[in-house]
Amino acid sequence: MKAVEMSSTRAARPYYVPVGNEEQVFKAAFRQGLSVVLKGPTGCGKTRFVEAMAYDLERPLITVACHDDLTTADLVGRFLLRGGETEWVDGPLTRAVREGGICYLDEVVEARQDTTVVIHPLADHRRQLPIERLGVTLHAAPGFCLVVSYNPGYQSVLKDLKDSTRQRMVAIEFGFPPAEVEEKIVAHETGIDHDSAAALVRFGQAIRRLETVGLREVASTRVLIAAGRLITEGLSPREAARAAIAGPLTDDSTVTRGLAQMIDVYLADPPG
């Protein structure tokens, strides 16, 4: 199973700045045993939010990056041959159910619908996980919470969250944070000064206002942070923006030239 991460250490709280009542809604849903769906664009802070909530609630977090090849066995578990004997190995969803952890299915609509249907009895009042291969049904341990996320902007009729899944969950809407909040995030995550962070955020907001078919996605907070980190390594703001923002956003030469012109306007290199 690829792209599964587990975190249960008590280091520092993951840096997350709330922009509304999302923390209160999540914690209320958690206390009531309700599942949660996070809706928002790529790189707007959904994953960091879940990490912060797991920290606050003192629950282990198991993250699964969903993809087209994800199978039910990848989530639930399978029999493996070890030392000449067949042994059952729990998948990440089953581990979270047994341990009372938070299971986060990132970009859940990337998985096949015949795979994600396994979460239905967990996402409603039953809080159960049938494991057909073992002939058992697990009841979720106290503290278990199912969280899924997706980007509505990417969805189509063929890739969308089933209505039967949606109505089992509490929805929290995410967007890009207000400028003053995003500036704090970029400065904190990169170590650059506030003025440099503010310039990156202004550039990012300008990209988000564009309307062009050649732009695959708008500038996320994630790419602004990447640019800031390049600046801390000695790259100029313009060089950092070209590499971390303009480059990843488009392969269209016309759009790339337009972004380069915007970089020249919004991100003047320091004198000398």
PDB file of all heavy atoms in Angstrom, residues 152-180:
ATOM      1  N   PRO A 152     -13.758  20.177  -5.444  1.00  0.00           N
ATOM      2  CA  PRO A 152     -14.939  20.234  -6.326  1.00  0.00           C
ATOM      3  C   PRO A 152     -14.613  20.756  -7.724  1.00  0.00           C
ATOM      4  O   PRO A 152     -15.285  20.402  -8.693  1.00  0.00           O
ATOM      5  CB  PRO A 152     -15.885  21.185  -5.593  1.00  0.00           C
ATOM      6  CG  PRO A 152     -15.453  21.143  -4.163  1.00  0.00           C
ATOM      7  CD  PRO A 152     -13.967  20.945  -4.206  1.00  0.00           C
ATOM      8  N   GLY A 153     -13.573  21.576  -7.846  1.00  0.00           N
ATOM      9  CA  GLY A 153     -13.225  22.130  -9.145  1.00  0.00           C
ATOM     10  C   GLY A 153     -12.732  21.107 -10.138  1.00  0.00           C
ATOM     11  O   GLY A 153     -12.735  21.343 -11.344  1.00  0.00           O
ATOM     12  N   TYR A 154     -12.289  19.947  -9.659  1.00  0.00           N
ATOM     13  CA  TYR A 154     -11.771  18.909 -10.535  1.00  0.00           C
ATOM     14  C   TYR A 154     -12.819  17.891 -10.943  1.00  0.00           C
ATOM     15  O   TYR A 154     -12.573  17.042 -11.778  1.00  0.00           O
ATOM     16  CB  TYR A 154     -10.641  18.144  -9.836  1.00  0.00           C
ATOM     17  CG  TYR A 154      -9.303  18.819  -9.915  1.00  0.00           C
ATOM     18  CD1 TYR A 154      -8.287  18.462  -9.038  1.00  0.00           C
ATOM     19  CD2 TYR A 154      -9.042  19.803 -10.863  1.00  0.00           C
ATOM     20  CE1 TYR A 154      -7.046  19.079  -9.099  1.00  0.00           C
ATOM     21  CE2 TYR A 154      -7.805  20.424 -10.919  1.00  0.00           C
ATOM     22  CZ  TYR A 154      -6.811  20.057 -10.034  1.00  0.00           C
ATOM     23  OH  TYR A 154      -5.585  20.660 -10.094  1.00  0.00           O
ATOM     24  N   GLN A 155     -13.991  17.948 -10.310  1.00  0.00           N
ATOM     25  CA  GLN A 155     -14.924  16.842 -10.454  1.00  0.00           C
ATOM     26  C   GLN A 155     -15.716  16.907 -11.754  1.00  0.00           C
ATOM     27  O   GLN A 155     -15.927  17.945 -12.348  1.00  0.00           O
ATOM     28  CB  GLN A 155     -15.888  16.795  -9.257  1.00  0.00           C
ATOM     29  CG  GLN A 155     -15.193  16.818  -7.905  1.00  0.00           C
ATOM     30  CD  GLN A 155     -13.912  16.032  -7.860  1.00  0.00           C
ATOM     31  OE1 GLN A 155     -13.849  14.918  -8.366  1.00  0.00           O
ATOM     32  NE2 GLN A 155     -12.876  16.602  -7.270  1.00  0.00           N
ATOM     33  N   SER A 156     -16.167  15.732 -12.176  1.00  0.00           N
ATOM     34  CA  SER A 156     -17.013  15.594 -13.348  1.00  0.00           C
ATOM     35  C   SER A 156     -18.102  14.587 -13.001  1.00  0.00           C
ATOM     36  O   SER A 156     -18.164  14.079 -11.883  1.00  0.00           O
ATOM     37  CB  SER A 156     -16.200  15.077 -14.541  1.00  0.00           C
ATOM     38  OG  SER A 156     -15.754  13.754 -14.295  1.00  0.00           O
ATOM     39  N   VAL A 157     -18.960  14.304 -13.970  1.00  0.00           N
ATOM     40  CA  VAL A 157     -20.018  13.327 -13.726  1.00  0.00           C
ATOM     41  C   VAL A 157     -19.414  11.966 -13.393  1.00  0.00           C
ATOM     42  O   VAL A 157     -19.933  11.210 -12.572  1.00  0.00           O
ATOM     43  CB  VAL A 157     -20.944  13.224 -14.955  1.00  0.00           C
ATOM     44  CG1 VAL A 157     -21.957  12.099 -14.769  1.00  0.00           C
ATOM     45  CG2 VAL A 157     -21.659  14.542 -15.194  1.00  0.00           C
ATOM     46  N   LEU A 158     -18.290  11.633 -14.033  1.00  0.00           N
ATOM     47  CA  LEU A 158     -17.664  10.334 -13.819  1.00  0.00           C
ATOM     48  C   LEU A 158     -16.844  10.280 -12.544  1.00  0.00           C
ATOM     49  O   LEU A 158     -16.579   9.209 -12.018  1.00  0.00           O
ATOM     50  CB  LEU A 158     -16.784   9.977 -15.027  1.00  0.00           C
ATOM     51  CG  LEU A 158     -17.511   9.822 -16.363  1.00  0.00           C
ATOM     52  CD1 LEU A 158     -16.510   9.513 -17.469  1.00  0.00           C
ATOM     53  CD2 LEU A 158     -18.566   8.723 -16.272  1.00  0.00           C
ATOM     54  N   LYS A 159     -16.392  11.448 -12.043  1.00  0.00           N
ATOM     55  CA  LYS A 159     -15.600  11.488 -10.825  1.00  0.00           C
ATOM     56  C   LYS A 159     -16.228  12.488  -9.868  1.00  0.00           C
ATOM     57  O   LYS A 159     -15.939  13.676  -9.914  1.00  0.00           O
ATOM     58  CB  LYS A 159     -14.155  11.896 -11.135  1.00  0.00           C
ATOM     59  CG  LYS A 159     -13.261  10.740 -11.493  1.00  0.00           C
ATOM     60  CD  LYS A 159     -11.815  11.174 -11.465  1.00  0.00           C
ATOM     61  CE  LYS A 159     -10.897   9.975 -11.660  1.00  0.00           C
ATOM     62  NZ  LYS A 159      -9.477  10.371 -11.565  1.00  0.00           N
ATOM     63  N   ASP A 160     -17.077  11.981  -9.036  1.00  0.00           N
ATOM     64  CA  ASP A 160     -17.749  12.826  -8.066  1.00  0.00           C
ATOM     65  C   ASP A 160     -18.089  11.967  -6.864  1.00  0.00           C
ATOM     66  O   ASP A 160     -18.083  10.739  -6.937  1.00  0.00           O
ATOM     67  CB  ASP A 160     -19.016  13.443  -8.662  1.00  0.00           C
ATOM     68  CG  ASP A 160     -19.469  14.675  -7.908  1.00  0.00           C
ATOM     69  OD1 ASP A 160     -18.849  14.998  -6.881  1.00  0.00           O
ATOM     70  OD2 ASP A 160     -20.446  15.313  -8.346  1.00  0.00           O
ATOM     71  N   LEU A 161     -18.387  12.598  -5.764  1.00  0.00           N
ATOM     72  CA  LEU A 161     -18.759  11.885  -4.558  1.00  0.00           C
ATOM     73  C   LEU A 161     -20.233  11.511  -4.651  1.00  0.00           C
ATOM     74  O   LEU A 161     -21.081  12.362  -4.908  1.00  0.00           O
ATOM     75  CB  LEU A 161     -18.507  12.775  -3.339  1.00  0.00           C
ATOM     76  CG  LEU A 161     -18.291  12.093  -1.993  1.00  0.00           C
ATOM     77  CD1 LEU A 161     -17.109  11.138  -2.051  1.00  0.00           C
ATOM     78  CD2 LEU A 161     -18.065  13.155  -0.925  1.00  0.00           C
ATOM     79  N   LYS A 162     -20.519  10.221  -4.468  1.00  0.00           N
ATOM     80  CA  LYS A 162     -21.896   9.742  -4.573  1.00  0.00           C
ATOM     81  C   LYS A 162     -22.783  10.461  -3.557  1.00  0.00           C
ATOM     82  O   LYS A 162     -22.360  10.769  -2.448  1.00  0.00           O
ATOM     83  CB  LYS A 162     -21.948   8.227  -4.325  1.00  0.00           C
ATOM     84  CG  LYS A 162     -21.300   7.387  -5.395  1.00  0.00           C
ATOM     85  CD  LYS A 162     -21.145   5.944  -4.935  1.00  0.00           C
ATOM     86  CE  LYS A 162     -22.488   5.265  -4.691  1.00  0.00           C
ATOM     87  NZ  LYS A 162     -23.183   4.998  -5.971  1.00  0.00           N
ATOM     88  N   ASP A 163     -24.034  10.719  -3.954  1.00  0.00           N
ATOM     89  CA  ASP A 163     -24.975  11.362  -3.037  1.00  0.00           C
ATOM     90  C   ASP A 163     -25.162  10.537  -1.773  1.00  0.00           C
ATOM     91  O   ASP A 163     -25.323  11.085  -0.677  1.00  0.00           O
ATOM     92  CB  ASP A 163     -26.328  11.564  -3.727  1.00  0.00           C
ATOM     93  CG  ASP A 163     -26.281  12.651  -4.794  1.00  0.00           C
ATOM     94  OD1 ASP A 163     -25.390  13.521  -4.700  1.00  0.00           O
ATOM     95  OD2 ASP A 163     -27.123  12.631  -5.700  1.00  0.00           O
ATOM     96  N   SER A 164     -25.144   9.219  -1.914  1.00  0.00           N
ATOM     97  CA  SER A 164     -25.321   8.351  -0.753  1.00  0.00           C
ATOM     98  C   SER A 164     -24.148   8.484   0.216  1.00  0.00           C
ATOM     99  O   SER A 164     -24.296   8.224   1.416  1.00  0.00           O
ATOM    100  CB  SER A 164     -25.461   6.892  -1.196  1.00  0.00           C
ATOM    101  OG  SER A 164     -24.349   6.493  -1.977  1.00  0.00           O
ATOM    102  N   THR A 165     -22.985   8.893  -0.302  1.00  0.00           N
ATOM    103  CA  THR A 165     -21.826   9.128   0.559  1.00  0.00           C
ATOM    104  C   THR A 165     -21.901  10.520   1.172  1.00  0.00           C
ATOM    105  O   THR A 165     -21.689  10.702   2.377  1.00  0.00           O
ATOM    106  CB  THR A 165     -20.521   8.987  -0.241  1.00  0.00           C
ATOM    107  OG1 THR A 165     -20.483   7.714  -0.881  1.00  0.00           O
ATOM    108  CG2 THR A 165     -19.311   9.121   0.671  1.00  0.00           C
ATOM    109  N   ARG A 166     -22.222  11.514   0.342  1.00  0.00           N
ATOM    110  CA  ARG A 166     -22.287  12.899   0.816  1.00  0.00           C
ATOM    111  C   ARG A 166     -23.215  13.051   2.018  1.00  0.00           C
ATOM    112  O   ARG A 166     -22.893  13.740   2.987  1.00  0.00           O
ATOM    113  CB  ARG A 166     -22.820  13.808  -0.297  1.00  0.00           C
ATOM    114  CG  ARG A 166     -21.888  14.042  -1.472  1.00  0.00           C
ATOM    115  CD  ARG A 166     -22.665  14.765  -2.558  1.00  0.00           C
ATOM    116  NE  ARG A 166     -21.880  15.036  -3.741  1.00  0.00           N
ATOM    117  CZ  ARG A 166     -21.188  16.143  -3.943  1.00  0.00           C
ATOM    118  NH1 ARG A 166     -21.180  17.085  -3.031  1.00  0.00           N
ATOM    119  NH2 ARG A 166     -20.497  16.313  -5.046  1.00  0.00           N
ATOM    120  N   GLN A 167     -24.392  12.414   1.941  1.00  0.00           N
ATOM    121  CA  GLN A 167     -25.407  12.638   2.964  1.00  0.00           C
ATOM    122  C   GLN A 167     -25.137  11.880   4.259  1.00  0.00           C
ATOM    123  O   GLN A 167     -25.923  11.958   5.198  1.00  0.00           O
ATOM    124  CB  GLN A 167     -26.787  12.297   2.399  1.00  0.00           C
ATOM    125  CG  GLN A 167     -27.179  13.224   1.264  1.00  0.00           C
ATOM    126  CD  GLN A 167     -28.620  13.085   0.856  1.00  0.00           C
ATOM    127  OE1 GLN A 167     -29.479  12.696   1.639  1.00  0.00           O
ATOM    128  NE2 GLN A 167     -28.914  13.402  -0.397  1.00  0.00           N
ATOM    129  N   ARG A 168     -24.025  11.172   4.293  1.00  0.00           N
ATOM    130  CA  ARG A 168     -23.596  10.540   5.531  1.00  0.00           C
ATOM    131  C   ARG A 168     -22.578  11.394   6.284  1.00  0.00           C
ATOM    132  O   ARG A 168     -22.081  10.979   7.322  1.00  0.00           O
ATOM    133  CB  ARG A 168     -22.965   9.169   5.229  1.00  0.00           C
ATOM    134  CG  ARG A 168     -23.955   8.077   4.884  1.00  0.00           C
ATOM    135  CD  ARG A 168     -23.230   6.805   4.478  1.00  0.00           C
ATOM    136  NE  ARG A 168     -24.061   5.624   4.573  1.00  0.00           N
ATOM    137  CZ  ARG A 168     -24.879   5.184   3.644  1.00  0.00           C
ATOM    138  NH1 ARG A 168     -24.981   5.877   2.498  1.00  0.00           N
ATOM    139  NH2 ARG A 168     -25.597   4.103   3.815  1.00  0.00           N
ATOM    140  N   MET A 169     -22.263  12.570   5.747  1.00  0.00           N
ATOM    141  CA  MET A 169     -21.154  13.346   6.275  1.00  0.00           C
ATOM    142  C   MET A 169     -21.514  14.805   6.533  1.00  0.00           C
ATOM    143  O   MET A 169     -22.394  15.362   5.887  1.00  0.00           O
ATOM    144  CB  MET A 169     -19.971  13.291   5.296  1.00  0.00           C
ATOM    145  CG  MET A 169     -19.441  11.885   5.083  1.00  0.00           C
ATOM    146  SD  MET A 169     -17.999  11.875   4.019  1.00  0.00           S
ATOM    147  CE  MET A 169     -17.515  10.151   4.217  1.00  0.00           C
ATOM    148  N   VAL A 170     -20.779  15.386   7.477  1.00  0.00           N
ATOM    149  CA  VAL A 170     -20.852  16.816   7.733  1.00  0.00           C
ATOM    150  C   VAL A 170     -19.837  17.494   6.815  1.00  0.00           C
ATOM    151  O   VAL A 170     -18.668  17.092   6.767  1.00  0.00           O
ATOM    152  CB  VAL A 170     -20.513  17.118   9.206  1.00  0.00           C
ATOM    153  CG1 VAL A 170     -20.385  18.618   9.438  1.00  0.00           C
ATOM    154  CG2 VAL A 170     -21.566  16.510  10.131  1.00  0.00           C
ATOM    155  N   ALA A 171     -20.261  18.504   6.082  1.00  0.00           N
ATOM    156  CA  ALA A 171     -19.381  19.157   5.109  1.00  0.00           C
ATOM    157  C   ALA A 171     -18.781  20.441   5.678  1.00  0.00           C
ATOM    158  O   ALA A 171     -19.466  21.233   6.329  1.00  0.00           O
ATOM    159  CB  ALA A 171     -20.147  19.472   3.824  1.00  0.00           C
ATOM    160  N   ILE A 172     -17.491  20.617   5.435  1.00  0.00           N
ATOM    161  CA  ILE A 172     -16.800  21.857   5.789  1.00  0.00           C
ATOM    162  C   ILE A 172     -16.170  22.406   4.513  1.00  0.00           C
ATOM    163  O   ILE A 172     -15.386  21.721   3.855  1.00  0.00           O
ATOM    164  CB  ILE A 172     -15.724  21.632   6.862  1.00  0.00           C
ATOM    165  CG1 ILE A 172     -16.344  21.040   8.131  1.00  0.00           C
ATOM    166  CG2 ILE A 172     -15.011  22.941   7.191  1.00  0.00           C
ATOM    167  CD1 ILE A 172     -15.336  20.747   9.234  1.00  0.00           C
ATOM    168  N   GLU A 173     -16.528  23.619   4.166  1.00  0.00           N
ATOM    169  CA  GLU A 173     -16.038  24.255   2.936  1.00  0.00           C
ATOM    170  C   GLU A 173     -14.730  25.005   3.217  1.00  0.00           C
ATOM    171  O   GLU A 173     -14.616  25.729   4.212  1.00  0.00           O
ATOM    172  CB  GLU A 173     -17.078  25.249   2.411  1.00  0.00           C
ATOM    173  CG  GLU A 173     -18.438  24.637   2.097  1.00  0.00           C
ATOM    174  CD  GLU A 173     -18.510  24.126   0.671  1.00  0.00           C
ATOM    175  OE1 GLU A 173     -17.510  24.305  -0.070  1.00  0.00           O
ATOM    176  OE2 GLU A 173     -19.549  23.562   0.305  1.00  0.00           O
ATOM    177  N   PHE A 174     -13.766  24.820   2.328  1.00  0.00           N
ATOM    178  CA  PHE A 174     -12.492  25.519   2.434  1.00  0.00           C
ATOM    179  C   PHE A 174     -12.269  26.363   1.181  1.00  0.00           C
ATOM    180  O   PHE A 174     -12.668  25.985   0.081  1.00  0.00           O
ATOM    181  CB  PHE A 174     -11.331  24.531   2.570  1.00  0.00           C
ATOM    182  CG  PHE A 174     -11.183  23.951   3.944  1.00  0.00           C
ATOM    183  CD1 PHE A 174     -12.024  22.938   4.370  1.00  0.00           C
ATOM    184  CD2 PHE A 174     -10.212  24.410   4.804  1.00  0.00           C
ATOM    185  CE1 PHE A 174     -11.910  22.407   5.642  1.00  0.00           C
ATOM    186  CE2 PHE A 174     -10.081  23.887   6.079  1.00  0.00           C
ATOM    187  CZ  PHE A 174     -10.933  22.880   6.497  1.00  0.00           C
ATOM    188  N   GLY A 175     -11.606  27.475   1.385  1.00  0.00           N
ATOM    189  CA  GLY A 175     -11.144  28.300   0.277  1.00  0.00           C
ATOM    190  C   GLY A 175      -9.764  28.815   0.632  1.00  0.00           C
ATOM    191  O   GLY A 175      -9.204  28.455   1.671  1.00  0.00           O
ATOM    192  N   PHE A 176      -9.201  29.646  -0.216  1.00  0.00           N
ATOM    193  CA  PHE A 176      -7.921  30.240   0.134  1.00  0.00           C
ATOM    194  C   PHE A 176      -8.140  31.281   1.224  1.00  0.00           C
ATOM    195  O   PHE A 176      -9.131  32.009   1.211  1.00  0.00           O
ATOM    196  CB  PHE A 176      -7.261  30.854  -1.098  1.00  0.00           C
ATOM    197  CG  PHE A 176      -6.914  29.837  -2.143  1.00  0.00           C
ATOM    198  CD1 PHE A 176      -7.544  29.846  -3.380  1.00  0.00           C
ATOM    199  CD2 PHE A 176      -5.981  28.847  -1.877  1.00  0.00           C
ATOM    200  CE1 PHE A 176      -7.237  28.896  -4.334  1.00  0.00           C
ATOM    201  CE2 PHE A 176      -5.672  27.888  -2.828  1.00  0.00           C
ATOM    202  CZ  PHE A 176      -6.300  27.908  -4.060  1.00  0.00           C
ATOM    203  N   PRO A 177      -7.228  31.364   2.180  1.00  0.00           N
ATOM    204  CA  PRO A 177      -7.431  32.279   3.312  1.00  0.00           C
ATOM    205  C   PRO A 177      -7.364  33.736   2.886  1.00  0.00           C
ATOM    206  O   PRO A 177      -6.787  34.061   1.837  1.00  0.00           O
ATOM    207  CB  PRO A 177      -6.283  31.917   4.263  1.00  0.00           C
ATOM    208  CG  PRO A 177      -5.248  31.290   3.402  1.00  0.00           C
ATOM    209  CD  PRO A 177      -5.991  30.596   2.299  1.00  0.00           C
ATOM    210  N   PRO A 178      -7.939  34.640   3.689  1.00  0.00           N
ATOM    211  CA  PRO A 178      -7.800  36.073   3.413  1.00  0.00           C
ATOM    212  C   PRO A 178      -6.330  36.460   3.370  1.00  0.00           C
ATOM    213  O   PRO A 178      -5.469  35.786   3.953  1.00  0.00           O
ATOM    214  CB  PRO A 178      -8.517  36.724   4.604  1.00  0.00           C
ATOM    215  CG  PRO A 178      -9.403  35.663   5.157  1.00  0.00           C
ATOM    216  CD  PRO A 178      -8.729  34.361   4.893  1.00  0.00           C
ATOM    217  N   ALA A 179      -6.042  37.566   2.690  1.00  0.00           N
ATOM    218  CA  ALA A 179      -4.656  37.968   2.456  1.00  0.00           C
ATOM    219  C   ALA A 179      -3.849  38.061   3.748  1.00  0.00           C
ATOM    220  O   ALA A 179      -2.716  37.565   3.828  1.00  0.00           O
ATOM    221  CB  ALA A 179      -4.628  39.306   1.715  1.00  0.00           C
ATOM    222  N   GLU A 180      -4.427  38.695   4.776  1.00  0.00           N
ATOM    223  CA  GLU A 180      -3.652  38.886   6.008  1.00  0.00           C
ATOM    224  C   GLU A 180      -3.326  37.560   6.689  1.00  0.00           C
ATOM    225  O   GLU A 180      -2.261  37.396   7.285  1.00  0.00           O
ATOM    226  CB  GLU A 180      -4.401  39.816   6.976  1.00  0.00           C
ATOM    227  CG  GLU A 180      -5.736  39.303   7.479  1.00  0.00           C
ATOM    228  CD  GLU A 180      -6.899  39.608   6.549  1.00  0.00           C
ATOM    229  OE1 GLU A 180      -6.639  40.025   5.399  1.00  0.00           O
ATOM    230  OE2 GLU A 180      -8.057  39.421   6.980  1.00  0.00           O
TER     231      GLU A 180
END
